[in-house]
Amino acid sequence: MSEPRMSDPRMNTFRRRLPGVVYGGDYNPEQWPKEVWQEDVRLMRAAGVRLVSLGIFSWAALEPADGRFDFSWLDEIMDLLWANGIHVNLATPNAAPPPWLATDFPEILSVDRQGVRHGIGSRGHFCPSSPVYRDRSRRIAIKLAERYGKHPGLAMWHIGNEYHSDCFCDRCDDRFRAWLRQRYGTLDELNRRWGTAFWSQRYSDWSQVHLPQPVRGWGNPSRELDFSRFTSDNLLELVTEERDLLHAITPDVPATTNFFGCRLTDSHRWARELDVVAFDCYPDPGKPHSMAVAAFQYDMMRSLGGGRPWMLMEQAAGAVSQWKTNQVKQPGRMRLGSYQAVAHGSDAVMFFQWRASPQGQEKFHSAMLPHGGEKTRTWQEVKALGNELRLLDEVATARTGARVAIVWDWQNWWAVEGCAHPDNTFDYRDTVARHHRALWNSHVAVDVVTLDDDLSPFRVLVVPNQYLMTPQQSAAVRKFVEDGGHLVVSYFSGIVDEDDRIVEGGYPGALREIIGAHVQEFSPLPAEAVVPIRAAADKAALDGFSATASGWQDDLEMETARPLAVYGEGHLAGKAAVIEHELGRGRAVYIGTRLDDEALQALVRHVLDLAGVRPVHAAPRGVEVTERRTRTSVYLFLLNHRQDKATVTLDRSGTDLITGRHIEAGETLVLDAADAAVVRSPAASSPSTEPPSGDS
């Protein structure tokens, strides 16, 4: 994993102020008359709220006109919260510039790819390159830091909110050109890296180089890739500028911003600039694998911080408001999802938002305190959870150790979903989530890495659709295998370099020697087509293996590899669909098609067995199992995502922190549907061999 910039001293200060598992949510008191505030803090105390995010969308209330500030209401609510033992995660409110800023300085508004300037009435409508926007954002951040930096209730800075703004205005065009000059140095190098000899695109002067604009047909994929890199860097600059200002004035207060799975921002790079990783997660109850996807996202957040605990900054108490059909979380499922975040390393359970809004675009988004008030089921569950989570305070700061890693790479995401591919329906998120789900169902701990991270701690590395691969990454994968690692890599990987240029030498150029085979040609399948797959005749270890292939087929030619499974019919009948290759002290398994879920899991389990990676704990399908560890204790999380009861026979003795029940090894634990258990055992007596990833 990458080594983040994260400041342990600042987070240690935060934990001294707020030990244990932090509970709370976004609070927007400016939407309510002051007489409601007293009721809010009374109910917050009843629910065990310890931290609220304040001021995220308050710019217009804090600065009603250019340079005219009104902090009186914020003074009052800061004091009221602190008087009731509630700390504040105070935001710099730059996510929604106020109407006066857009009216007085219309150039701060973002412009879309078609050249249309956005209006006010939503959020994220700013141009990241606007000098006026940057100046006013810094100014109000400084005002907040100077005014509240020594307030006893201030626990953390929340910079902006869910950064997701791209822009195609002239200022961004100028900054893009400057970014390219710094990256490539000369126009000749840019022409070489972008492949501008194709379709007569060669630039003869820097003034000809522009942001991607609407073109006839497809645009240059290398330019699109660099625009994605530029956008991420441009937005990150906003964050680091404010972070530096806040740290200069309040050096002991940690700062973060909240990730939300955005395609525009390379969170792997961003995380190195933050004191702690924070994440907003909204699993869709209407989708069958939503909690498995949440587990993948949570593993990613833990990994982005180098294994350190992270913060679930937002989730929904019930329904959200952004999907076509916004299903409510059924009884117990909000509690279960909250425990899932803690099980994967979060030391905070927070929500958007505290009190449901009476107006605006998100008035039907659920809240900790719904429109119906204290008599609602949601409020009763929120209140019970906040008080119950205190039983888990000792889990805070515990780590998760993993010997399995899966690769997620933002730059690859930008590239693999680019244009003019053999299949233009790639869904990178879905592909990686499917591979992670196979590991999740196998009950093993998983870190989420890039190929630029240190791979040596892992025994198994899963690499889904890593289309873009640099020479350094290819060398790292080869070393991983040669040193005894077990690699699982899927089709359309190792095809291009960092400039989206084909790696020569036959597909997959960056992996050919590692997998011991080459691909003669790609053969995408029609949307509804499936092809049967069976184990190769000499592969006793995969006896009984059967699968279906869909979406894609590689026409694989063996070099030094052996087939594990072959196609059962079609023009590739009898040819390899899955192969394995021994290299050095390790092995690589290459999957040349999209396997069905059950077959993918069986193959992954086969590789885990070969690598000697054991499950954290045995459990029936649908029961999620994780561990967090300190030097003295192991915390086993058992989460029942099923619709019925599940029984787990414990392999250790321990105490369930939630119920207080002591359980001996060999005893059974019955979990109701949507129930959870957290069993603490002494570290020395736990059968698990996985150490915590770092000191606790």
Side-chain angles (χ1 to χ4, degrees), residues 154-173:
L154 177 66
M156 177 177 285
W157 290 112
H158 188 303
I159 301 173
N161 182 73
E162 295 184 342
Y163 282 86
H164 62 282
S165 301
D166 58 357
C167 182
F168 295 82
C169 73
D170 291 342
R171 282 194 174 88
C172 286
D173 195 51

Side-chain angles (χ1 to χ4, degrees), residues 568-622:
E569 61 183 48
H571 76 287
L572 297 179
K575 297 200 73 172
V578 182
I579 63 175
E580 82 174 341
H581 183 227
E582 293 182 5
L583 182 65
R585 294 186 288 112
R587 75 182 67 225
V589 172
Y590 180 83
I591 308 171
T593 187
R594 179 186 170 100
L595 296 175
D596 64 83
D597 286 355
E598 292 299 324
L600 179 60
Q601 183 174 334
L603 186 63
V604 164
R605 184 68 259 171
H606 169 69
V607 175
L608 293 172
D609 289 342
L610 289 174
V613 176
R614 298 182 301 160
V616 172
H617 195 288
R621 187 72 171 264

Side-chain angles (χ1 to χ4, degrees), residues 252-271:
D252 296 329
V253 181
T256 190
T257 191
N258 47 337
F259 299 147
F260 70 116
C262 178
R263 192 175 187 270
L264 292 177
T265 54
D266 182 349
S267 298
H268 183 264
R269 183 171 181 188
W270 282 45

Side-chain angles (χ1 to χ4, degrees), residues 305-470:
R308 293 171 175 84
W310 54 281
M311 300 181 72
L312 177 61
M313 192 65 77
E314 290 183 23
Q315 65 169 333
V320 299
S321 56
Q322 61 258 43
W323 300 312
K324 288 184 178 179
T325 302
N326 292 291
Q327 295 187 23
V328 70
K329 292 180 179 178
Q330 294 302 307
R333 297 291 164 173
M334 178 274 291
R335 173 180 179 266
L336 182 65
S338 300
Y339 276 113
Q340 184 186 36
V342 179
H344 286 265
S346 178
D347 280 356
V349 174
M350 300 181 69
F351 297 83
F352 179 84
Q353 57 181 330
W354 162 252
R355 181 184 284 270
S357 299
Q359 294 176 288
Q361 288 94 325
E362 292 184 312
K363 59 181 174 290
F364 291 113
H365 193 296
S366 62
M368 300 172 76
L369 184 63
H371 293 135
E374 295 179 68
K375 294 183 179 180
T376 59
R377 171 178 66 84
T378 294
W379 164 253
Q380 295 301 322
E381 290 192 12
V382 162
K383 179 180 176 182
L385 176 63
N387 289 284
E388 186 178 77
L389 278 174
R390 292 179 181 270
L391 300 172
L392 269 64
D393 276 351
E394 66 181 84
V395 176
T397 75
R399 304 290 187 89
T400 297
R403 289 292 178 259
V404 178
I406 190 168
V407 172
W408 170 272
D409 187 311
W410 269 265
Q411 299 202 38
N412 182 62
W413 187 10
W414 300 330
V416 76
E417 292 186 4
C419 64
H421 289 161
D423 180 356
N424 291 299
T425 63
F426 273 110
D427 186 332
Y428 183 56
R429 277 195 290 197
D430 178 69
T431 298
V432 181
R434 287 185 67 245
H435 285 74
H436 182 275
R437 189 161 67 244
L439 298 166
W440 185 67
N441 285 327
S442 299
H443 305 313
V444 295
V446 183
D447 280 350
V448 181
V449 301
T450 75
L451 293 177
D452 295 314
D453 292 329
D454 179 12
L455 305 178
S456 63
F458 306 108
R459 297 173 189 161
V460 175
L461 179 67
V462 179
V463 184
N465 283 165
Q466 188 70 23
Y467 164 74
L468 184 151
M469 192 174 291
T470 68

Side-chain angles (χ1 to χ4, degrees), residues 56-57 59 93-98 102 108-112 117-128 133 160-167 235 238 260 264 361:
I56 292 175
F57 296 112
W59 196 341
N94 60 50
I108 72 100
L109 293 168
S110 54
V111 174
D112 70 14
R117 192 172 292 278
H118 295 132
I120 59 173
S122 186
R123 60 173 182 152
H125 47 275
F126 58 85
C127 166
Y133 170 77
N161 182 73
E162 295 184 342
Y163 282 86
H164 62 282
S165 301
D166 58 357
C167 182
L235 289 170
L238 301 181
F260 70 116
L264 292 177
Q361 288 94 325

